Amino acid sequence: MTIAETTVRETGQDFIRDIVRADLASGRHKTIVTRFPPEPNGYLHIGHAKSICLNFGIAEEFGGRCHLRFDDTNPIKEEQEYIEAIKQDVRWLGFDWGEHLYHASDYFEQLYAWAEHLIRAGKAYVDDQTQEEMRATRGTLTEAGTESPYRRRSVAENLDLFRRMRAGEFPNGARVLRAKIDMASGNINLRDPVLYRILHAEHPRTGRAWCIYPSYDFAHGQSDAIEGITHSICTLEFEDHRPLYDWLLDSLPVPSHPHQYEFARLNLTYTVLSKRVLTELVRGGHVTGWDDPRMPTLAGLRRRGVPPTAIRDFVKRIGVAKANSIVDMAMLEFSIREHLNKTARRRMAVLRPLKVVIENYPEGANEEVEALNHPDDPAAGTRRVPFGRELFIEHDDFLENPPKKFFRLAPGREVRLRYAYFITCREVIKNSAGEVTELRCSYDPATKGGNAPDGRKVQATLHWVSAKDSRPAEVRLYNPLFTRPDPNAGSFAADLNSNSLEVLVAVRVEPALFNARAGEAVQFERQGYFCRDSDSTPERLVFNRTVGLRDTWAKVGKSNT
Ligand code: ATP
Ligand code: MG
């Protein structure tokens, strides 16, 4: 799929929505209930956004509801900070769970009762084997597993031991509760999976009330059933868990039997969408935090200046499929540009300044030129930009010996300064190292506003700022975090891009940027889309480049004529 071929779909053209539609039409369900079930062990990434848009989107489109449910069954890895961050990110994407905020931990008492129910039914047993022993007896894809020596324990003994597990009589890892299914099953998930383990740990919500915690598999389906979820949508890794999901719901007196459907997770080139890897990037100091603008987290994308609508459109564009694939990062950037092009105010900033002195401009004179805030949106209005005898232009907009296709400033050549005047380069000043440090130019006062009354043309229009009225700023340019389109998630260190952050410290920005708000996107003309970073102080502005403009070099000569 190329970018040009994609359009943002209207609602409803994927296999899951087809199922939902059919279930409504057949009367199987009157109301659609979905859920987004994050584990609070890290910040959300853009892969989660796909799941959020799918679950909340379906609820919106079909007049149902979507629950936000924290899958908080592993107190060792989970933190309140993550719970708050996840809520913030879901809201930021534009979704609302209303009163339907739940936690797997809300159901711990019920889950425990269901575990006893399984024991009484002879479908679960307490196993004293160590983790290693269990691993060694699980078998392989081609060989059956071996039954545990504890598998034949009586119901009474199992109940007694399980209650004592709950009461805290045993240390971590001493015993587990396992389902009694089939150690020879072709599906390893059915080889007596662990349902409860002992963990003496403080839980963010239940504190020390529990020292045994349900496994993902034991918590997930039953939580869905309690909440009356109609369509339990998850990623393909869980396809092999579905038989267990169904076995548990069939074995327990649950109030409903939801159905699990699997879709392909989002993978993006040049990044890794795995909380484990992202956690390591943060802990290892490879990035400045979960909200580092290079991170594929929603917090990072937000700080970088990506609007949530761009993410939602991106997710619509890529669609929902049943086969895994890798989406090109260019697709995401395309959606971001498309939105920012419509919404971002145009501003002028010079990233790598080169001083220009206009020799025939009166010393001490002050003037303001009128500039459009958005070329396609008259309602965005105009602003006044100070102009003067001393200016900065972009260093790479000048070449002393220009090649054939270089249309910008060169000795003796005339170009337009956007919204201002035509200027001609008269003299090049260099330092002792031979580097160009200043240009002496002249301007044509008759070209005010940027047009010549005699109709003569120039081949380039440059952005600029006044030396006196601009302010210094820092700009952070972001490159991909990884050097390879498919970084090795197992050992990613070798694939890390050591040039993922480029800091420009001598940037000059026009006055309209002095009060830029964090999170508000602006286009630096001819440079890309930027937003003020939260590291900014009143003394020092910092901007992030959200994304570049697609055409930086080739089209310069054609622009703005
Ligand atoms: P990770 O793989 O990053 O560790 P996870 O699956 O462990 O993520 P959860 O908090 O369990 O993270 O995920 C919540 C929901 O988001 C799950 O339903 C999961 O299937 C879905 N999800 C996670 N990663 C992706 C992805 N890359 N694309 C689409 N959905 C995803
Ligand atoms: Mg998970």
Side-chain angles (χ1 to χ4, degrees), residues 37 39 41 71 216 238 275:
E39 182 180 354
N41 60 350
D71 174 24
Y216 166 85
F238 294 101
K275 275 190 287 195

Side-chain angles (χ1 to χ4, degrees), residues 36-39 45 47-48 50-51 235 263 265-266 273-275:
F36 173 64
E39 182 180 354
H45 53 63
H48 294 112
K50 179 176 180 182
S51 176
T235 37
F263 70 99
R265 58 184 284 118
L266 170 66
L273 300 183
S274 144
K275 275 190 287 195

Side-chain angles (χ1 to χ4, degrees), residues 142-298:
T142 50
E143 271 172 74
T146 322
E147 292 189 356
S148 164
Y150 304 96
R151 202 173 195 262
R152 285 158 193 279
R153 270 181 167 148
S154 69
V155 166
E157 188 183 2
N158 280 319
L159 265 184
D160 173 62
L161 284 172
F162 188 50
R163 286 174 184 166
R164 287 164 60 195
M165 280 168 63
R166 175 180 184 170
E169 279 189 36
F170 312 117
N172 288 355
R175 294 189 157 90
V176 293
L177 183 73
R178 293 178 79 174
K180 193 190 280 188
I181 308 180
D182 179 7
M183 286 306 290
S185 172
N187 183 337
I188 291 183
N189 292 295
L190 294 180
R191 294 185 188 170
D192 293 7
V194 171
L195 306 181
Y196 267 91
R197 60 228 187 282
I198 301 172
L199 270 180
H200 293 271
E202 173 108 12
H203 186 282
R205 295 188 73 246
T206 59
R208 294 261 165 199
W210 294 87
C211 62
I212 57 171
Y213 289 93
S215 62
Y216 166 85
D217 286 308
F218 194 67
H220 198 82
Q222 283 79 284
S223 300
D224 284 346
I226 292 169
E227 293 174 21
I229 302 300
T230 54
H231 299 76
S232 179
I233 304 166
C234 61
T235 37
L236 283 175
E237 314 86 273
F238 294 101
E239 195 167 10
D240 289 345
H241 292 240
R242 181 159 23 97
L244 176 56
Y245 184 99
D246 288 329
W247 184 88
L248 286 165
L249 294 183
D250 287 338
S251 304
L252 292 168
V254 287
S256 72
H257 190 136
H259 280 254
Q260 176 180 303
Y261 300 96
E262 305 89 15
F263 70 99
R265 58 184 284 118
L266 170 66
N267 299 299
L268 261 186
T269 55
Y270 293 102
T271 193
V272 179
L273 300 183
S274 144
K275 275 190 287 195
R276 181 187 59 75
V277 171
L278 298 180
T279 304
E280 284 179 46
L281 288 174
V282 173
R283 299 230 168 108
H286 302 291
V287 293
T288 57
W290 285 99
D291 69 345
D292 186 306
R294 291 167 291 180
M295 291 278 272
T297 51
L298 297 182

Side-chain angles (χ1 to χ4, degrees), residues 20-38:
V20 168
R21 216 174 271 118
D23 286 348
L24 283 169
S26 71
R28 182 169 167 190
H29 296 297
K30 287 200 172 58
T31 307
I32 300 302
V33 187
T34 56
R35 86 286 171 269
F36 173 64

